[in-house]
Amino acid sequence: MAGDIATGALLGRAVEPRAGESGGGAAQGVCLNCGTALIGEFCHACGQNGHVHKTLSSIGHDLLHGVFHFEGKVWRTLPMLVAHPGQLTRRYIDGERARFVSPLALFLFFVFLMFATISSLGGASDMNFDATPRSREERIAAVDGNIAKTQAELTKAEGLAAKGGPGAEDAASDIVGLKATLSGLKVARNTIATSKDGHTRVTLSDAKTGWDRLDHGIAKANANPELALYKLQSSAYKYSWALIPISVPFVALIFLWRRKFKLYDHAIFVTYSLSFMLLLVTAVTLLMMIDAPGVITGCLIAFAPPVHLFAQLRGTYGLNWFSSLWRTLALMLFGIITLTLFAMLLLGLGLME
């Protein structure tokens, strides 16, 4: 295959004119894209290669170049995004662009990767729900089934932990998570059984925001939480870009008196930070899929976001540890507010229809 491509490339050179030669109706020494006189191998006006191939082998060459060129950037960008996010953000802001994947491209790639992973492993899209709310008895029966399944898994884990030997440590770590899940299921069952119509409620179900479309969306989510979760997941994929403009003002707020940092700096910071968070969600989802020890996923969820934010703040803005620490805590709080505003935006836009 490689030999065929090489042979095709040589034949292409023999048949096609090189840059500056006449061929295909192009003027000699002129860019075929914009008509600018060529000075060197590439056009200094539009950047197009002066030598335009017109062979089948050139299609394979472009494909391989595109894949490996992007991969080269990815393998330079990802390690820095994870281990040195501040350096990556600062170097990109300062103009070092050719070596790294742009923050927006990386963000969109991880959005796709995260939702593809969740969907393939069975996310909200695989939930068993109807377009109309289920009865109290059906909801209780569904929760009872989950309680019985969780109790059986807990009993099995306790037995393995008591016996000792291989798998005992993993079983012991699973017991904590299973007990917490069982407790939550029992609370949910009690809530359904004691509510007046058998439906769980959204926290703001009885609140009136004054925005009719938002109030309508909240009411529909309150009436059928399972359908609401599915709709929110589907809409979040398409409108995930809105997280960037929602987040930037919060970052600007904590640098309000630092006028040397512009909104552009904050936008790059936010986009790379969100890219890491999406990567983290994907990694945690995969770890849960392979039944990784709960202590690993728990530590990632609890410590990875603040540690990453702290490192990115220090490296991007050149802060000391105290300035980075309080801004990290502020951004963690603002992150919760951002997700709440994002969910409200989806509801208010009528995406629950």
Side-chain angles (χ1 to χ4, degrees):
M1 180 64 185
D4 292 339
I5 294 177
T7 302
L10 292 173
L11 290 174
R13 291 177 183 175
V15 174
E16 297 177 10
R18 290 196 56 83
E21 300 176 1
S22 61
Q28 185 172 355
V30 174
C31 175
L32 298 178
N33 181 59
C34 66
T36 303
L38 291 173
I39 304 175
E41 187 176 355
F42 294 89
C43 175
H44 64 277
C46 69
Q48 176 168 294
N49 195 328
H51 185 203
V52 179
H53 294 277
K54 296 180 182 178
T55 63
L56 289 177
S57 64
S58 67
I59 298 177
H61 172 270
D62 290 341
L63 176 63
L64 292 174
H65 178 270
V67 170
F68 289 110
H69 183 62
F70 181 76
E71 277 193 358
K73 285 189 173 185
V74 166
W75 294 121
R76 283 192 294 266
T77 306
L78 279 184
M80 292 197 68
L81 178 68
V82 175
H84 304 287
Q87 291 184 27
L88 171 64
T89 308
R90 174 45 54 192
R91 288 169 67 176
Y92 192 89
I93 291 172
D94 288 342
E96 196 172 337
R97 309 290 171 81
R99 291 178 57 84
F100 306 117
V101 180
S102 71
L104 187 58
L106 200 65
F107 172 79
L108 294 176
F109 173 75
F110 283 135
V111 166
F112 169 79
L113 181 64
M114 184 188 74
F115 281 97
T117 301
I118 292 175
S119 298
S120 63
L121 298 182
S125 59
D126 295 326
M127 295 180 64
N128 182 21
F129 62 84
D130 299 317
T132 56
R134 292 180 290 173
S135 66
R136 183 199 306 269
E137 291 73 18
E138 289 173 325
R139 289 174 178 272
I140 292 177
V143 175
D144 283 342
N146 287 326
I147 289 176
K149 180 180 178 181
T150 305
Q151 183 63 62
E153 292 177 354
L154 177 60
T155 301
K156 180 180 178 181
E158 289 176 337
L160 289 173
K163 289 181 179 179
E169 292 185 3
D170 291 341
S173 64
D174 291 341
I175 289 174
V176 177
L178 289 170
K179 285 184 176 180
T181 301
L182 188 61
S183 177
L185 287 170
K186 289 180 178 179
V187 170
R189 187 191 191 286
N190 183 64
T191 301
I192 296 172
T194 57
S195 61
K196 63 181 182 180
D197 58 358
H199 299 309
T200 54
R201 298 290 175 182
V202 178
T203 304
L204 300 177
S205 59
D206 297 325
K208 297 297 180 183
T209 65
W211 185 8
D212 292 339
R213 298 188 71 175
L214 177 56
D215 292 337
H216 176 67
I218 292 175
K220 291 182 72 67
N222 174 67
N224 195 342
E226 291 92 344
L227 181 58
L229 180 60
Y230 169 72
K231 288 293 185 69
L232 283 175
Q233 176 181 307
S234 301
S235 301
Y237 173 73
K238 294 181 290 186
Y239 293 90
S240 56
W241 56 265
L243 286 168
I244 298 173
I246 293 175
S247 302
V248 168
F250 291 113
V251 179
L253 181 62
I254 64 175
F255 288 99
L256 193 60
W257 53 94
R258 297 277 189 107
R259 297 302 177 87
K260 67 177 181 178
F261 299 125
K262 309 301 182 183
L263 286 177
Y264 175 82
D265 301 353
H266 304 323
I268 299 301
F269 175 90
V270 163
T271 310
Y272 272 135
S273 180
L274 288 173
S275 298
F276 173 80
M277 299 306 169
L278 294 170
L279 176 61
L280 177 63
V281 172
T282 304
V284 169
T285 302
L286 291 173
L287 287 172
M288 294 175 66
M289 176 62 183
I290 62 175
D291 294 325
V295 65
I296 296 178
T297 55
C299 287
L300 282 175
I301 294 171
F303 298 112
V307 169
H308 190 271
L309 277 174
F310 180 85
Q312 190 178 10
L313 282 167
R314 290 205 69 180
T316 301
Y317 299 103
L319 305 175
N320 59 43
W321 72 268
F322 178 76
S323 296
S324 300
L325 180 61
W326 78 259
R327 285 181 171 88
T328 297
L329 297 176
L331 287 181
M332 293 295 291
L333 174 61
F334 290 152
I336 298 173
I337 297 174
T338 297
L339 292 176
T340 303
L341 291 175
F342 181 63
M344 293 176 66
L345 175 65
L346 297 182
L347 291 171
L349 289 175
L351 301 176
M352 293 300 302
E353 298 296 341

